Amino acid sequence: NVVFNCHFLSILLLLLLAGCSTPAERQVRQTLRCAEEVLAEHPDSALTLLTPLDTMSLAGEEQAWYAVLRTQADYKLYHPLTTDSLPLLATAYYGTPRRPHYRAAMAWYSLGCVYTELKDDPRAIDAYLKARDLFPDTLCRYYALTEQNLGKHHLANHDYSKAVATFARYRNHPNCCSDSALIGFADFFLGKARMMKNEFSAADSLFHSVLANPHADAEIQRQTLFHLAKIYHVQGDNVSALFFLEAHRRTLPKDISQSAEDYLKGDILFDACSYDSAYIYYHRSLACSADLSTRCLVYNKLAKLAPIY
């Protein structure tokens, strides 16, 4: 009887609290709920629902909920995310609860998205790790996206072992396995991480899987050709390296800088003892690159070429 009475009182309290909310508050929650339902497939519709809300009147859970939804709508629509103020409101409200909590996970995921846009790898990694641990369901699409983004940040942070492990988990996630385009994306980044670890055989196999995937993104396939050229050059197969490099060049728009491509072609020609041609391509690379590290690499090669040329 005691247990029953406590349960009854809890339900009664919830009903009383619900009854205390104003029509305006109930309308706000209904709007947020509708925006959450359409966000994944129709972020433009979610943004249309969220924009008229009086954000100054929001507080507590409604404010945190709005902050997550607005950040995600802007992120999905490729609107610039220049400040972490909104998702910080959400993470301050939800914190890091002991038990898995979907909206808390989304708050930290959204903060990670902002730091991704701001190119702040350490803080992005920290936010994504907290998000990953808070998702109640690992089959959730956003759990998979958290792994994907984590892998890219590990790669940018030169932590290649963690990048390989993270992209391997993402590659095996049901959300990825059921979508050929996502498989192409996963194979590309897993191949890139393995290439950076000098695991060339594994990288080569993954890159060829990307090229054989008819649903892989065109830009991903273009970059794959260039990475294969680099792998074959490192392995001393300059015929194959040149084949993939030229295939890559043919896919490039005419107005895009080809500094990296010219530098690699210079290296291939240098190894083939075609010093005159190598000299030309090294100088082409210098002419269209403002990147300091690329320029240093080119000058180093020109210095090696000088006694021969």
Side-chain angles (χ1 to χ4, degrees), residues 38-78:
V38 301
L39 178 63
E41 299 299 327
H42 303 286
D44 52 338
S45 299
L47 189 59
T48 300
L49 289 166
L50 295 169
T51 300
L53 291 177
D54 178 11
T55 56
M56 298 300 292
S57 68
L58 300 179
E61 184 180 12
E62 284 75 19
Q63 184 186 57
W65 195 1
Y66 168 85
V68 170
L69 296 175
R70 181 57 191 258
T71 302
Q72 282 302 304
D74 284 334
Y75 182 64
K76 289 176 183 297
L77 293 169
Y78 304 103

Side-chain angles (χ1 to χ4, degrees), residues 5-222:
N5 288 336
C6 288
H7 184 61
F8 176 77
L9 288 172
S10 297
I11 294 173
L12 182 61
L13 181 60
L14 288 172
L15 291 172
L16 287 171
L17 289 172
C20 290
S21 63
T22 66
E25 289 170 337
R26 289 196 292 273
Q27 182 60 47
V28 166
R29 293 188 67 82
Q30 181 61 29
T31 299
L32 294 173
R33 192 173 294 108
C34 289
E36 187 175 60
E37 288 173 358
V38 301
L39 178 63
E41 299 299 327
H42 303 286
D44 52 338
S45 299
L47 189 59
T48 300
L49 289 166
L50 295 169
T51 300
L53 291 177
D54 178 11
T55 56
M56 298 300 292
S57 68
L58 300 179
E61 184 180 12
E62 284 75 19
Q63 184 186 57
W65 195 1
Y66 168 85
V68 170
L69 296 175
R70 181 57 191 258
T71 302
Q72 282 302 304
D74 284 334
Y75 182 64
K76 289 176 183 297
L77 293 169
Y78 304 103
H79 296 167
L81 301 178
T82 58
T83 173
D84 58 6
S85 56
L86 270 181
L88 281 176
L89 286 173
T91 55
Y93 175 80
Y94 289 112
T96 49
R98 283 182 169 183
R99 295 181 181 179
H101 189 291
Y102 178 76
R103 288 190 183 140
M106 287 302 298
W108 287 104
Y109 172 78
S110 298
L111 185 60
C113 291
V114 171
Y115 290 142
T116 293
E117 292 290 294
L118 297 176
K119 302 188 187 307
D120 188 336
D121 293 315
R123 288 201 287 183
I125 289 170
D126 180 65
Y128 287 132
L129 286 172
K130 287 177 179 174
R132 190 179 66 181
D133 292 341
L134 286 172
F135 279 108
D137 181 5
T138 60
L139 298 179
C140 168
R141 176 173 178 266
Y142 285 102
Y143 182 92
L145 289 173
T146 299
E147 290 278 47
Q148 178 195 107
N149 290 345
L150 260 177
K152 288 195 279 188
H153 280 288
H154 287 316
L155 199 56
N157 217 33
H158 309 294
D159 197 338
Y160 303 127
S161 293
K162 284 184 180 178
V164 166
T166 306
F167 281 123
R169 287 195 300 271
Y170 173 66
R171 175 66 174 78
N172 292 323
H173 192 276
N175 183 72
C176 182
C177 290
S178 60
D179 188 320
S180 296
L182 293 181
I183 289 172
F185 183 92
D187 284 344
F188 171 76
F189 277 100
L190 186 54
K192 191 173 178 181
R194 291 203 176 277
M195 181 182 74
M196 299 307 293
K197 286 190 71 184
N198 297 328
E199 297 174 358
F200 297 126
S201 178
D204 179 270
S205 176
L206 286 160
F207 285 144
H208 274 90
S209 293
V210 174
L211 294 182
N213 184 340
H215 302 288
D217 179 77
E219 179 58 29
I220 289 288
Q221 291 197 324
R222 183 185 357 257

